[in-house]
Amino acid sequence: MPQTALAFDADLLRRYDRPGPRYTSYPTAPQFHPGFGEAELRAAAARSNGDPIPRPLSLYVHVPFCHSPCFYCGCNRVITRDPARGEAYLARLRREIALTAPLFDRDRRAVQLHFGGGTPNFLSATQLADLALLLQSRFHFGPAADCDISIELDPRHGRPQDLPVLAEAGFNRVSLGVQDFDPAVQQAVNREQGIEDTAAIIEAARGAGMQSINIDLIYGLPGQCLEGFGRTLEIVTELRPDRLAVYSYAHLPHLFKAQKQIDARLLLDGEAKLALLQLAVERLTAAGYVYIGMDHFALPGDALARARARGDLHRNFMGYTTHADSDLIGLGVSAISHIADTYSQNPRDLPAWEAAIDAGRLPVARGMVLDADDELRADLIQGLMCHGEIPIPALEARHGIAFAEYFAADLARLYPLAEDGLVTIAPDAIRATPRGQLLLRNIAMCFDRYLAPPADAADTRPRYSRAI
Ligand code: SF4
């Protein structure tokens, strides 16, 4: 039975608070290289069609536009208020879909579609509905009840009357950015968002029959305090979303330009951040939410919580999902695909993506082919992130290895974590303890063969956010 209990151990969290990947993929994006292009992607799609039992398909669409910059933002986005840019983007997305859909056998089932951003609802509800329906006509989606069709909505620009339009086009899940309702924090991050607007979108989503509503919060934002964040948690638990993500703010202004506008004097130290995380864990568990893994919580009746309890939760670039291992097709600027044994990514800047589409090319900028060792470690890390454990005999059988021998060096890195009580090591499995559940990425890092920076690396600034 997967471990779901969570123990907050401040001393341990303090000691293990170091930068590391979030492992929405393994290997992680810094390993992608420009030697992987359109020909490699076409070959991967052909290989994936040839599998004896082809994997289902998941689709991700990136909409990069936002009306104004939130200063904490680390997403790939373009700030504009010009709706014509949305229309031009849609025209190219339709061409990308026309180039991509024929690569996949028509009978392959599509089980997941997610619109992310940026701000997907920069586009109108009618534009979003038309795009979703176009994708449903070009890929073979099953009955609505078996598919996740989800969208990230910015409540500041959402209208309650848009929700039935989206539901009519098949959307059955929504995710809302909130971060913090404290007005002082909202001002410090340039994101002023009313409680009423957010509540109205949630009510409209429920009224339109959406199966699941997610809210994103962030701790560690400038000016946050226990009292203000406590009030936010109180409001949010009253709004009762089915799922909650509580992310740690990663201040990496050398990577994300918008963050340079944050007044560094208002940033919290490690102790203050830890106190906010503790508050969130206590309040959410007291309100009946269960821990899913890596910053995510859900009500016990939600599909993610049930999948976690059954032991069949999965994780991909879009986060946790109930759908078994699928091939992921990313559409739009910066979108990432995972087809067969490959990862690939579209250009991260809009003009390069536009130029590729205008030239009639699949817009692949970089990627990689996974070798057998990558596949094994990806499988191991998936087990850890989704179920808090590494099932040793199952991995040995699937990959034809002797675990202790193959991972001798990795286990040597793991032993100190076992001594600190983050994991237990037994012949049948390595399991994260309740104290280790908030440090899953630190456990996974022991098994990441790419983590050490090259000895001659000139830039030693962190590429990843910290664990807490
Ligand atoms: S946080 Fe979201 S809404 Fe704000 S700038 Fe980033 S992508 Fe846009």
Side-chain angles (χ1 to χ4, degrees):
M1 175 61 71
Q3 175 66 257
T4 53
L6 189 61
F8 189 92
D9 184 327
D11 178 51
L12 206 60
L13 293 170
R14 209 173 284 130
R15 278 197 286 133
Y16 280 91
D17 182 19
R18 58 184 76 136
R22 301 174 49 75
Y23 293 114
T24 47
S25 73
Y26 179 87
T28 54
Q31 302 311 318
F32 302 175
H33 58 81
F36 187 103
E38 185 176 358
E40 287 74 17
L41 183 62
R42 287 184 186 279
R47 274 202 302 288
S48 75
N49 289 330
D51 280 349
I53 306 174
R55 301 198 291 180
L57 300 177
S58 288
L59 281 82
Y60 172 78
V61 180
H62 192 78
V63 180
F65 304 110
C66 295
H67 298 86
S68 60
C70 307
F71 294 161
Y72 56 82
C73 180
C75 301
N76 187 298
R77 84 281 186 280
V78 173
I79 307 298
T80 178
R81 290 180 180 268
D82 181 2
R85 295 200 67 180
E87 191 42 66
Y89 188 75
L90 274 173
R92 289 193 176 89
L93 263 183
R94 287 192 281 267
R95 279 149 73 185
E96 188 179 5
I97 293 165
L99 287 167
T100 307
L103 303 183
F104 298 91
D105 285 349
R106 183 71 186 140
D107 58 355
R108 289 182 69 176
R109 220 159 48 85
V111 291
Q112 197 181 12
L113 167 62
H114 181 71
F115 283 23
T119 302
N121 60 316
F122 178 89
L123 301 173
S124 72
T126 313
Q127 287 173 320
L128 291 166
D130 287 349
L131 184 59
L133 292 171
L134 171 68
L135 285 161
Q136 289 169 64
S137 74
R138 300 304 304 263
F139 293 91
H140 172 59
F141 282 84
D146 299 341
C147 302
D148 285 347
I149 303 190
S150 52
I151 183 164
E152 294 165 15
L153 295 178
D154 183 339
R156 295 173 300 166
H157 303 286
R159 301 180 313 165
Q161 62 267 37
D162 291 340
L163 272 298
V165 179
L166 296 174
E168 183 67 24
F171 286 96
N172 52 22
R173 296 171 189 277
V174 294
S175 178
L176 310 179
V178 167
Q179 327 317 348
D180 194 330
F181 280 125
D182 184 337
V185 177
Q186 292 193 350
Q187 228 171 18
V189 298
N190 195 37
R191 184 185 172 108
E192 296 186 36
Q193 176 175 337
I195 299 166
E196 295 73 26
D197 293 344
T198 310
I201 296 294
I202 291 178
E203 201 186 320
R206 290 205 173 107
M210 299 284 176
Q211 288 164 21
S212 179
I213 294 163
N214 176 77
I215 281 183
D216 287 346
L217 299 177
I218 301 182
Y219 66 93
L221 291 173
Q224 260 176 337
C225 62
L226 281 172
E227 198 191 338
F229 198 55
R231 173 88 186 113
T232 294
L233 289 165
E234 200 179 299
I235 297 163
V236 163
T237 47
E238 273 166 24
L239 293 171
R240 207 87 186 140
D242 307 87
R243 299 175 185 174
L244 269 157
V246 188
Y247 297 111
S248 165
Y249 170 61
H251 191 60
L252 301 167
H254 57 286
L255 294 182
F256 308 117
K257 228 172 47 200
Q259 295 184 354
K260 291 194 174 131
Q261 298 188 70
I262 282 185
D263 182 349
R265 290 169 306 179
L266 293 177
L267 284 173
L268 309 188
D269 63 18
E271 290 300 305
K273 271 184 90 173
L274 211 50
L276 291 176
L277 174 63
Q278 180 166 15
L279 186 71
V281 168
E282 285 171 2
R283 292 280 179 89
L284 297 182
T285 44
Y289 288 88
V290 293
Y291 181 63
I292 300 295
M294 283 299 289
D295 323 308
H296 287 73
F297 296 80
L299 289 173
D302 183 83
L304 284 188
R306 285 187 278 123
R308 164 102 191 188
R310 281 195 309 269
D312 59 7
L313 190 65
H314 297 267
R315 182 166 165 85
N316 60 24
F317 285 105
M318 297 179 278
Y320 286 104
T321 166
T322 57
H323 293 291
D325 214 14
S326 51
D327 278 335
L328 172 67
I329 302 169
L331 300 161
V333 62
S334 78
I336 292 180
S337 298
H338 178 194
I339 314 288
D341 55 351
T342 69
Y343 292 127
S344 57
Q345 185 171 28
N346 284 353
R348 284 144 63 111
D349 69 303
L350 196 52
W353 177 80
E354 290 171 346
I357 301 285
D358 292 350
R361 284 188 281 111
L362 284 171
V364 190
R366 57 184 192 143
M368 70 179 293
V369 179
L370 280 70
D371 64 21
D373 178 75
D374 293 329
E375 299 264 22
L376 162 60
R377 289 171 192 270
D379 192 2
L380 180 154
I381 289 173
Q382 172 89 205
L384 198 52
M385 292 292 156
C386 294
H387 309 298
E389 69 176 49
I390 300 170
I392 294 173
L395 275 180
E396 289 181 322
R398 281 203 291 271
H399 298 274
I401 53 146
F403 189 90
E405 205 179 303
Y406 192 95
F407 288 113
D410 313 80
L411 286 167
R413 285 192 288 274
L414 187 68
Y415 288 135
L417 280 67
E419 277 168 21
D420 281 339
L422 271 71
V423 288
T424 57
I425 303 175
D428 68 324
I430 293 169
R431 294 185 176 87
T433 64
R435 300 164 81 211
Q437 288 292 334
L438 287 171
L439 293 165
L440 291 176
R441 71 162 100 176
N442 300 65
I443 303 168
M445 283 158 68
C446 296
F447 294 91
D448 184 340
R449 89 168 137 123
Y450 297 101
L451 264 192
D456 60 350
D459 188 353
T460 54
R461 290 175 297 183
R463 283 182 302 171
Y464 298 111
S465 58
R466 300 174 77 88
I468 303 304

